[in-house]
């Protein structure tokens, strides 16, 4: 059965370590903050494929190509605005391993297995049931994944950094109050991204945002 997206959310987390030095008491305080933002999934990725086994390698490849051609035509008709891409074409030798084990001999090749897949990416969730129904007449549905598209992810990236920094300001103010010191006495020494799972490109974007929010030049990634 085709899973329905419903209302799904993705939470993105960042962890920062703040070293705030209170000059007169020379105290060093480490604060860990998390910036979390949510957004409904706006992109679906569906993988369809065809697999066949037989002895004629060329005939199998021809059948796979024909099925993929028919499947792509069905996908384009059902969801003309979707992005399509061929994922993989594989050819495997097939051996009589079970029989060979029972006869205590080396396995022998008895044929070939070929497979190929096509990936569909779309933001039109409403069309997915019809798209799957029409395409499954020629291709098998291998997987369905819901997530955020690239544009939405970029927007959330800045929002979650700003959310983390707001949390940082709140915690520094709370600590300064507990120590009966003005917030102005706190100095941001460094930021440590800890174990946050971000790629290099995203990390550089985060640093640029943080440099506009703080006077800190020291970042540990």
């Amino acid at each position: 059965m085709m899973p329905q997206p419903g209302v799904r959310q993705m939470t993105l987390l960042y962890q920062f370590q703040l070293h705030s030095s209170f000059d007169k008491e020379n105290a060093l305080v480490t604060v860990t903050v998390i910036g979390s933002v949510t957004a409904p999934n706006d992109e679906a990725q569906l993988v369809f494929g065809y697999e066949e086994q037989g002895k004629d390698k060329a005939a199998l490849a021809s059948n796979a190509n024909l099925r993929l051609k028919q499947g792509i035509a069905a996908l384009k008709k059902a969801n003309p605005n979707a992005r399509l891409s061929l994922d993989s074409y594989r050819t495997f030798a097939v051996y009589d391993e079970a029989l060979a084990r029972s006869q205590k001999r080396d396995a022998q090749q008895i044929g070939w297995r070929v497979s190929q897949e096509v990936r569909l990416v779309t933001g039109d969730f409403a069309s997915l049931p019809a798209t799957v129904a029409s395409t499954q007449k020629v291709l098998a549905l291998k997987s369905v994944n819901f997530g955020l598209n690239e544009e939405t992810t970029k927007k959330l990236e800045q929002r979650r950094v700003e959310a983390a920094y707001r949390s940082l300001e709140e915690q520094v103010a709370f600590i300064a109050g507990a120590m009966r010191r003005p917030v102005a006495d706190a100095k941001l020494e460094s930021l440590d991204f800890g174990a946050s799972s971000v790629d290099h490109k995203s990390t550089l974007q985060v640093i640029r945002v943080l440099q506009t929010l703080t006077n800190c030049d020291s970042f540990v990634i």
Side-chain angles (χ1 to χ4, degrees):
M1 177 179 290
M2 173 69 185
Q4 298 298 317
V7 180
R8 295 166 58 101
Q9 294 183 323
M10 178 178 287
T11 301
L12 306 176
L13 303 178
Y14 260 123
Q15 290 186 334
F16 307 99
Q17 287 186 330
L18 165 70
H19 302 278
S20 298
S21 177
F22 292 83
D23 297 334
K24 293 182 181 180
E25 297 180 7
N26 198 29
L28 186 65
V29 180
T30 299
V31 178
T32 299
V33 298
I34 295 176
S36 177
V37 293
T38 62
N41 290 325
D42 58 6
E43 182 176 271
Q45 294 196 23
L46 288 74
V47 176
F48 295 88
Y50 176 75
E51 181 175 297
E52 185 177 345
Q53 181 175 319
K55 293 184 177 182
D56 190 332
K57 185 177 180 182
L60 292 173
S62 178
N63 290 343
N65 290 334
L66 177 60
R67 285 298 188 98
L68 262 292
K69 183 178 179 180
Q70 294 171 338
I72 290 173
L75 289 172
K76 288 182 176 180
K77 182 178 180 180
N79 200 326
N81 295 322
R83 302 196 309 273
L84 299 176
S85 61
L86 290 176
D87 263 14
S88 60
Y89 176 84
R90 298 185 179 92
T91 303
F92 305 94
V94 178
Y95 296 87
D96 61 346
E97 296 178 353
L99 181 61
R101 281 195 299 271
S102 66
Q103 296 178 352
K104 298 181 179 179
R105 59 171 174 80
D106 293 337
Q108 298 177 354
Q109 184 176 345
I110 57 174
W112 299 91
R113 180 185 296 114
V114 300
S115 66
Q116 186 158 14
E117 297 177 346
V118 59
R119 181 180 300 269
L120 176 142
V121 180
T122 181
D124 184 3
F125 291 172
S127 70
L128 291 183
T131 299
V132 172
S134 62
T135 307
Q136 282 187 313
K137 296 176 182 178
V138 289
L139 298 177
L141 179 63
K142 299 290 188 179
S143 66
V144 181
N145 291 295
F146 294 95
L148 302 175
N149 65 37
E150 185 176 354
E151 182 180 355
T152 301
T153 301
K154 288 180 179 178
K155 292 178 181 179
L156 290 180
E157 190 71 20
Q158 180 166 343
R159 283 174 50 196
R160 70 175 178 175
V161 173
E162 292 171 344
Y165 190 68
R166 284 194 297 271
S167 176
L168 178 62
E169 289 182 314
E170 292 172 357
Q171 291 198 45
V172 170
F174 175 78
I175 293 170
M179 298 177 69
R180 291 178 173 77
R181 303 302 308 277
V183 175
D185 284 357
K187 179 183 177 183
L188 182 61
E189 297 288 350
S190 66
L191 284 168
D192 187 343
F193 286 77
S196 298
S197 56
V198 294
D199 57 29
H200 182 64
K201 183 178 179 181
S202 297
T203 301
L204 293 178
Q205 180 184 3
V206 170
I207 290 177
R208 285 194 293 270
V209 173
L210 287 171
Q211 284 175 332
T212 66
L213 296 172
T214 73
N215 294 320
C216 179
D217 294 322
S218 175
F219 296 89
V220 181
I221 301 172

